[in-house]
Amino acid sequence: MTVVEDLDAALLGAKAIPQVNLGSVDEAYAVQALLVQRRIDRGEKMVGVKMGLTSKAKMAQVGVDQVIWGRLTDAMRVPDGGTVSLEGFIHPRIEPEVAFLVRDGAIAAVAPALEIIDSRYADFKFTLPDVIADNTSAAAFVVGAWSPMPSNVDNLEVLLEVDGAVVQAGSTAAILGDPRRAFEQGAAMAGELKDGWVFLAGAATAAVPLERGTFVRAVVEGLGMASVKAVGSWGS
Ligand code: OOG
Ligand code: MG
């Protein structure tokens, strides 16, 4: 099987595969495009772009120190305050994000967000090309209420709470110094950002395992929160 088929089978069967050790970043983005195209062919729609490894906390957690980007589809979107079924995930983690709403190639609004990542590789272990090929571990995301862009978006406190307890704390300053920089880089890397798309700037803190039955919130100073409840169990 090809790498695209292997990654797609891992996604559909919720079963991790060994690292594939792709040779180059260009090859990896080509694999990602084909992988997501399979989802589009199954009826999903592109609804945005996500950045990955835009903070040192995230780079350190996965041992890869380059900014990457991936694709978001409507099937990954979970309503704010809704529930997400862990059925179908391999070993999900959750992390706090800042989301931007795209209009005319620019930022039209900002919202607190959560991303659920679920590497299709065993033990969440991958190289830079491998994680790019795996659509940057994208699995699901939640976007809170949109606000107009505040004057300060580069130094807002970010909290990740599980069942009311703070488990990660950081600042939007951790996202390339300013999450708007992630937007600029993402726009250049993705080549195109369409009106109405969601743009996730990348987590400001490390991710934590997403456990069944837990209620998770991302709280971003001045912007409010995004929340989700995890139901069902994962793993095989
Ligand atoms: C890669 C995805 C990174 C982020 O916000 O930095 C990412 C991973 O951690 O598996 O989504
Ligand atoms: Mg993320």
Side-chain angles (χ1 to χ4, degrees):
M1 292 216 289
T2 66
V3 174
V4 177
E5 285 166 348
D6 288 348
L7 283 168
D8 201 34
L11 171 84
L12 292 172
K15 203 166 177 344
I17 58 170
Q19 281 184 224
V20 290
N21 296 311
L22 285 171
S24 78
V25 163
D26 286 352
E27 186 189 356
Y29 278 114
V31 168
Q32 182 193 119
L34 290 170
L35 188 65
V36 177
Q37 186 56 47
R38 285 179 162 238
R39 299 180 67 131
I40 305 293
D41 292 345
R42 291 196 286 266
E44 296 179 32
K45 290 187 177 54
M46 271 284 287
V47 296
V49 157
K50 59 158 285 188
M51 301 306 285
L53 312 181
T54 50
S55 68
K56 291 204 166 67
K58 283 291 306 181
M59 288 177 174
Q61 184 173 34
V62 298
V64 175
D65 64 355
Q66 301 281 318
V67 172
I68 57 180
W69 74 279
R71 295 165 163 92
L72 300 173
T73 74
D74 57 348
M76 301 176 193
R77 191 162 191 157
V78 178
D80 184 26
T83 58
V84 65
S85 171
L86 301 185
E87 237 65 68
F89 291 145
I90 301 168
H91 40 202
R93 296 177 177 176
I94 192 160
E95 56 192 19
E97 298 260 351
V98 170
F100 293 128
L101 180 64
V102 178
R103 197 170 306 130
D104 297 327
I107 298 170
V110 58
L114 286 162
E115 186 183 17
I116 297 170
I117 51 173
D118 192 34
S119 176
R120 267 57 65 167
Y121 302 114
D123 304 321
F124 249 95
K125 289 220 164 61
F126 42 70
T127 59
L128 169 67
D130 283 2
V131 68
I132 292 168
D134 183 27
N135 196 22
T136 67
S137 309
F141 67 99
V142 181
V143 179
W146 295 111
S147 300
M149 195 67 173
S151 51
N152 159 22
V153 79
D154 61 346
N155 191 17
L156 304 174
E157 183 182 56
V158 176
L159 300 176
L160 182 67
E161 296 177 2
V162 177
D163 292 333
V166 174
V167 294
Q168 292 285 335
S171 162
T172 55
I175 305 164
L176 298 176
D178 184 330
R180 285 170 291 196
R181 215 163 274 147
F183 187 86
E184 282 161 25
Q185 288 197 20
M189 290 170 89
E192 153 180 71
L193 297 177
K194 291 194 176 157
D195 279 4
W197 275 12
V198 170
F199 183 99
L200 296 182
T205 74
V208 302
L210 179 56
E211 309 284 1
R212 169 199 187 121
T214 55
F215 175 72
V216 183
R217 291 203 313 183
V219 185
V220 182
E221 185 184 348
L223 298 180
M225 65 192 80
S227 70
V228 73
K229 167 115 189 192
V231 298
S233 50
W234 48 270
S236 46

